[in-house]
Amino acid sequence: DAGITQSPRHKVTETGTPVTLRCHQTENHRYMYWYRQDPGHGLRLIHYSYGVKDTDKGEVSDGYSVSRSKTEDFLLTLESATSSQTSVYFCAIGRDREETQYFGPGTRLLVL
Amino acid sequence: ILNVEQSPQSLHVQEGDSTNFTCSFPSSNFYALHWYRWETAKSPEALFVMTLNGDEKKKGRISATLNTKEGYSYLYIKGSQPEDSATYLCASLLMTTDSWGKLQFGAGTQVVVTP
């Protein structure tokens, strides 16, 4: 298994609260991704990173920000959580943009 | 809006039977097509990455074909077993300024294999 961990694995929070999810990899892969998974939508890309301090938006980036200060860590922040951000969040890594992505175990977030 | 479409949404297969299902994707600016297998309560796992028209990939009893001109891929499972029960996701990678580096996933085909 690719060395990818996500923390926390489960979180319950209240509307308006800031939340940060962490993705950590030990594979030294250049690319890191954050997806959310919702019924009927498959996996949708929130943001991705192609290097330290290099990030780009995905198709559902509104309300989310990311940071990557080290190769191994990619943080996803919900500045002010809303109920529509209740979802399962997956981090993924890849050696290059066209190559296979390896997924972390997921974080289940509930915003009340 | 899903430009990548998978059909059927779900299917039930008897153990030992073979089955197949479809992924449709934009054929213009095509770069690659990914297949992933996703078991309940686990993370998606890569099956194949396909790039060339006419490409065929095989992994055990699972195989896939690719038609980039018409924008579709088939995934085949031969002699289905209960452990093949999972959701199978496809994702396309387009070579456009906006899409480059961003996989677009379909909603998946859920396969249930009954003994």
Side-chain angles (χ1 to χ4, degrees), chain B residues 1-114:
Chain B
I1 299 174
L2 285 174
N3 291 321
V4 178
E5 297 185 353
Q6 294 187 246
S7 62
Q9 188 174 355
S10 65
L11 60 90
H12 290 252
V13 188
Q14 278 299 118
E15 182 177 356
D17 288 349
S18 296
T19 189
N20 65 84
F21 38 93
T22 309
C23 172
S24 301
F25 54 87
S27 56
S28 57
N29 300 303
F30 172 85
Y31 189 85
L33 194 281
H34 293 218
W35 280 102
Y36 292 85
R37 181 171 177 274
W38 194 357
E39 289 182 72
T40 302
K42 294 189 177 179
S43 307
E45 291 183 348
L47 286 172
F48 310 116
V49 177
M50 309 174 79
T51 57
L52 299 175
N53 185 44
D55 210 0
E56 293 187 20
K57 299 275 188 179
K58 187 175 181 183
K59 188 174 185 176
R61 293 178 291 96
I62 300 177
S63 60
T65 61
L66 180 67
N67 184 322
T68 62
K69 295 186 190 305
E70 295 181 42
Y72 65 85
S73 175
Y74 292 131
L75 194 93
Y76 300 88
I77 304 175
K78 184 178 179 182
S80 304
Q81 299 298 309
E83 58 264 32
D84 295 327
S85 296
T87 296
Y88 292 83
L89 298 172
C90 69
S92 79
L93 182 63
L94 302 181
M95 198 163 41
T96 65
T97 305
D98 287 342
S99 302
W100 188 224
K102 305 175 187 178
L103 278 181
Q104 184 159 41
F105 282 84
T109 292
Q110 183 183 27
V111 175
V112 177
V113 182
T114 50

Side-chain angles (χ1 to χ4, degrees), chain A:
Chain A
D1 289 346
I4 315 167
T5 56
Q6 292 183 229
S7 59
R9 295 291 313 279
H10 302 271
K11 186 167 182 68
V12 180
T13 191
E14 293 186 350
T15 298
T17 304
V19 176
T20 295
L21 309 183
R22 180 183 184 233
C23 177
H24 179 79
Q25 61 144 330
T26 58
E27 304 297 319
N28 200 36
H29 282 1
R30 180 181 173 194
Y31 286 79
M32 297 186 76
Y33 307 83
W34 276 108
Y35 293 93
R36 59 178 288 173
Q37 187 254 328
D38 304 291
H41 289 276
L43 288 167
R44 292 183 292 173
L45 182 66
I46 304 171
H47 283 277
Y48 77 102
S49 169
Y50 48 97
V52 173
K53 298 193 191 311
D54 293 321
T55 65
D56 197 4
K57 295 179 180 179
E59 62 179 298
V60 290
S61 59
D62 287 349
Y64 301 95
S65 62
V66 290
S67 66
R68 191 167 178 202
S69 58
K70 299 185 289 184
T71 298
E72 56 267 33
D73 289 326
F74 192 32
L75 304 180
L76 177 71
T77 297
L78 291 64
E79 301 290 347
S80 178
T82 67
S83 58
S84 64
Q85 293 176 311
T86 291
S87 187
V88 181
Y89 291 85
F90 284 95
C91 172
I93 64 173
R95 274 189 294 263
D96 208 339
R97 66 179 90 207
E98 69 270 22
E99 294 197 16
T100 294
Q101 293 185 15
Y102 300 93
F103 287 81
T107 294
R108 192 171 294 272
L109 176 67
L110 175 60
V111 183
L112 300 174

